[in-house]
Amino acid sequence: MADRPRRPRLRRTLLAALVTFAVAVPVSGAARPDAVPAPAPTALGPLRDASPAALEERYAVSRRDIRAAGRAADAHGDRTRAASLRAMAAPGRQFLSFDGRDGGRSVEVVGELSSARRIAVLVPGAGVGLDAYGRLRRDATALREELGGGTAVLAWLGYRSPATVSPAALTTGRADEAAPGLRALVDEVRAVRPAARISLLCHSYGSVICARSASGTAADALVLYGSPGVGAEGVAALRTGARVWAGRGGDDWIARVPHVRVRVPFVATVGFGTDPVATRFGAEVFDAGDGGHSDYLLPGSRSLTNLARIVAGAEPLGASR
């Protein structure tokens, strides 16, 4: 009997810590340096043609926009941003869209979208932006190599990613803003590649965005990994026809994040609720190996193998309901 109160006390302690963190940490933009200026990009409009010629024309326009943003970063004296943009503008890189303003937005294609039968859209979490874009490119390349031919990976940087340690990373605000853009991209890809299998691979805070865009999505699979929760109590609340998967690495610190939602007066609702790998959430759980929070797409990892199998439409190794 003496042990029975421990769980409520632990829950209250976690709630208090979460609320204190949300209130005490300054707003995420306050400590950030001024935004690096960039020119307005060329107006491209929605993706309507995935023929090789049309895509190459689009890639060339985005390459010019990236180079213009790089020159602006150089003139601003931001060598880190300028170097990242030079790498993004290298010959052979394929961007469906690019906007260097407000932290940066881009969609890069790794593989051949014009002929892809299986398409994965990578949705990154907190702490990803133009300055750290190499990590997203690395992950997209690793997944494409694991998948092989007939596939394309779209690295979607479609929102202003919050800092990893910030109140913005504890609320759905950025995800609510980002979700319509992600849904629109999936709709466009479905329209130009109607027979392709499309999967959303949603890491960390990116899983919150995917959940916000899930209702009516044209994607076939929704994969939540390294997720803090998605702001929904279960799969049914997502109102999606996509098959929903969830996984977490054995050494991922996200497992220690309290899976609660707390209304903080005059601030916001903090936290994301039910753990997506919990039985009561209702997702199909896949074996994500024993890696850490940033290790899901490491070459040779169990998580990469299983993510690629899901994208390909195969059952992941060690899957469970």
Side-chain angles (χ1 to χ4, degrees):
M1 296 290 291
D3 290 338
R4 291 182 64 183
R6 292 181 63 188
R7 184 173 296 276
R9 282 202 301 268
L10 175 60
R11 182 178 176 83
R12 286 195 297 271
T13 299
L14 293 175
L15 286 170
L18 191 60
V19 172
T20 300
F21 178 75
V23 174
V25 177
V27 293
S28 60
R32 296 175 65 180
D34 290 341
V36 180
T42 305
L44 286 172
L47 177 67
R48 301 188 187 281
D49 186 350
S51 68
L55 288 174
E56 186 49 50
E57 181 179 350
R58 197 175 180 102
Y59 298 155
V61 170
S62 293
R63 192 174 299 117
R64 290 195 294 270
D65 287 341
I66 296 169
R67 287 172 177 161
R71 291 192 293 271
D74 259 330
H76 187 69
D78 193 316
R79 295 181 180 178
T80 300
R81 175 67 58 84
S84 179
L85 291 171
R86 280 194 296 273
M88 293 171 73
R93 300 287 290 270
Q94 305 176 144
F95 284 85
L96 288 174
S97 62
F98 174 83
D99 186 344
R101 300 171 299 176
D102 188 32
R105 311 285 191 277
S106 65
V107 181
E108 183 173 14
V109 179
V110 180
E112 296 303 324
L113 182 58
S114 61
S115 58
R117 301 183 304 277
R118 299 178 300 279
I119 299 168
V121 181
L122 290 187
V123 182
V128 179
L130 293 183
D131 294 339
Y133 185 81
R135 290 183 294 167
L136 184 56
R137 164 73 179 189
R138 176 202 67 193
D139 287 347
T141 301
L143 179 60
R144 173 59 171 74
E145 290 177 352
E146 184 76 16
L147 286 165
T151 61
V153 178
L154 276 57
W156 182 82
L157 183 60
Y159 74 116
R160 184 161 60 92
S161 172
T164 303
V165 181
S166 68
L170 294 174
T171 69
T172 64
R174 299 280 177 90
D176 292 333
E177 294 171 2
L182 178 60
R183 185 184 294 110
L185 174 67
V186 175
D187 286 346
E188 290 169 22
V189 173
R190 174 61 70 201
V192 297
R193 298 295 301 157
R197 174 179 169 81
I198 303 174
S199 302
L200 290 175
L201 270 55
C202 317
H203 178 239
S204 196
Y205 188 83
S207 65
V208 186
I209 300 172
C210 288
R212 287 300 196 259
S213 71
S215 179
T217 183
D220 299 287
L222 183 66
V223 191
L224 317 171
Y225 57 102
S227 174
V230 299
E233 291 307 303
V235 169
L238 300 181
R239 302 191 307 278
T240 182
R243 192 174 179 184
V244 181
W245 294 91
R248 185 171 62 223
D251 197 32
D252 190 340
W253 57 262
I254 207 77
R256 298 189 290 276
V257 171
H259 292 286
V260 295
R261 300 192 77 199
V262 184
R263 176 66 188 173
V264 181
F266 312 111
V267 181
T269 298
V270 178
F272 303 109
T274 309
D275 185 349
V277 300
T279 301
R280 67 189 180 96
F281 187 80
E284 298 181 68
V285 177
F286 69 93
D287 181 0
D290 56 4
H293 192 63
S294 300
D295 299 338
Y296 289 92
L297 292 167
L298 286 182
S301 65
R302 181 63 167 251
S303 52
L304 175 58
T305 296
N306 276 339
L307 286 169
R309 289 178 67 87
I310 292 171
V311 171
E315 292 296 306
L317 304 175
S320 64
R321 290 185 182 270

